Amino acid sequence: MALDRQFHHRNLPDQIADHIVDRLALGELSRGDRLFEKELCDTLNVSRIPLREALRLLQAQGVVRTEPNRGTFIIGFDKKEISEAQEVRLSVERIALRRLLPIVKGRPEILSSLDEPIEQMKRAAMVGDRLEFCRADLLFHGRLIDLSESVTLRPVWEVLSRVTFVFMTQEPVLAYNYAGAIEDHVILKNLIREGRWAPVEKEIFAHITVPMSLRRPA
């Protein structure tokens, strides 16, 4: 099976970690499932060294847990943990956006890099590809982090992105509003261009913490 470079990481352990997260997002893995090293090595045609590095990475990011003499298992996220992850994400994106607004004032053309993920979201929505839509959504937010030019926030975002991806893909399918989510990102981009902090902060808070059905019903 080819490794899916979901978050465009460069090294093999990151690609393996992304593959495991993909399986979790697809429902092929569930809370409490054990990950068998030999099975993963055979499936992905990799050795145990990068696989174990990937598992250590996922453990540090809160996706799996390793128990001595028992193995590695998928962690389940309860409502409190999801809420805490949202708080961390909101803090990271607020910092990025505060840095970004004065940058955009002098170089508004850099916002064109947000067009690609928005177009990817539109294409995924047309065919109902939920996973690709969520990847494009996270690509948009990753671009915000990059545009903020913060060397501190990028590694923090790399940690958050995998867990956030799982949360996003596990939202109830029937309640998912592709059009509303796309509109969210277009509005956020336009507010960033306008350069006023209060509307940007209000939008990013709603975007991350308020369910879509309460803001932009399908």
Side-chain angles (χ1 to χ4, degrees):
M1 178 183 294
L3 287 170
D4 183 354
R5 298 188 178 187
Q6 172 185 312
F7 297 113
H8 308 288
H9 293 306
R10 293 186 299 273
N11 60 53
L12 185 56
D14 273 321
Q15 293 179 54
I16 296 169
D18 288 343
H19 169 81
I20 293 170
V21 169
D22 264 357
R23 290 186 61 190
L24 179 57
L26 287 166
E28 296 174 4
L29 292 170
S30 302
R31 177 176 183 168
D33 284 354
R34 181 178 177 183
L35 298 176
F36 294 94
E37 290 188 7
K38 186 177 186 307
E39 176 186 323
L40 285 168
C41 288
D42 292 345
T43 299
L44 300 176
N45 192 27
V46 297
S47 70
R48 289 181 183 267
I49 294 175
L51 174 62
R52 287 174 177 170
E53 290 182 14
L55 295 178
R56 283 194 291 269
L57 179 62
L58 290 175
Q59 181 169 339
Q61 294 175 350
V63 178
V64 305
R65 71 176 189 279
T66 299
E67 300 180 8
N69 302 317
R70 292 199 63 220
T72 301
F73 301 84
I74 297 293
I75 292 177
F77 302 101
D78 59 26
K79 290 183 179 180
K80 181 179 179 181
E81 289 167 333
I82 293 173
S83 177
E84 289 171 348
Q86 285 180 328
E87 287 183 25
V88 175
R89 180 187 172 190
L90 180 59
S91 296
V92 168
E93 296 208 37
R94 274 177 168 158
I95 295 170
L97 289 168
R98 279 200 299 267
R99 290 177 58 95
L100 179 56
L101 291 190
I103 296 173
V104 170
K105 185 176 181 180
R107 291 183 285 148
E109 70 278 1
I110 66 174
L111 289 180
S112 62
S113 68
L114 300 177
D115 294 337
E116 178 190 357
I118 290 174
E119 290 304 312
Q120 289 181 12
M121 281 187 271
K122 290 178 180 179
R123 291 194 295 271
M126 288 179 64
V127 296
D129 189 335
R130 178 75 172 279
L131 262 64
E132 192 59 35
F133 189 92
C134 292
R135 290 184 184 117
D137 187 325
L138 284 177
L139 177 60
F140 178 99
H141 291 274
R143 291 278 172 89
L144 292 180
I145 303 299
D146 289 339
L147 292 175
S148 75
E149 300 179 354
S150 170
V151 296
T152 302
L153 295 180
R154 168 44 65 178
V156 178
W157 175 253
E158 294 290 352
V159 172
L160 286 172
S161 62
R162 288 194 179 98
V163 173
T164 301
F165 179 74
V166 173
F167 294 161
M168 291 168 64
T169 57
Q170 292 183 346
E171 291 179 24
V173 174
L174 293 177
Y176 204 74
N177 181 357
Y178 288 110
I182 293 169
E183 184 181 358
D184 261 9
H185 292 83
V186 173
I187 289 172
L188 182 57
K189 176 189 171 184
N190 291 337
L191 290 174
I192 294 169
R193 180 183 288 111
E194 292 174 8
R196 293 181 295 125
W197 172 242
V200 169
E201 183 180 33
K202 181 179 179 181
E203 182 63 27
I204 196 63
F205 176 83
H207 184 79
I208 292 175
T209 65
V210 181
M212 182 68 64
S213 60
L214 298 180
R215 290 183 288 121
R216 297 185 173 94

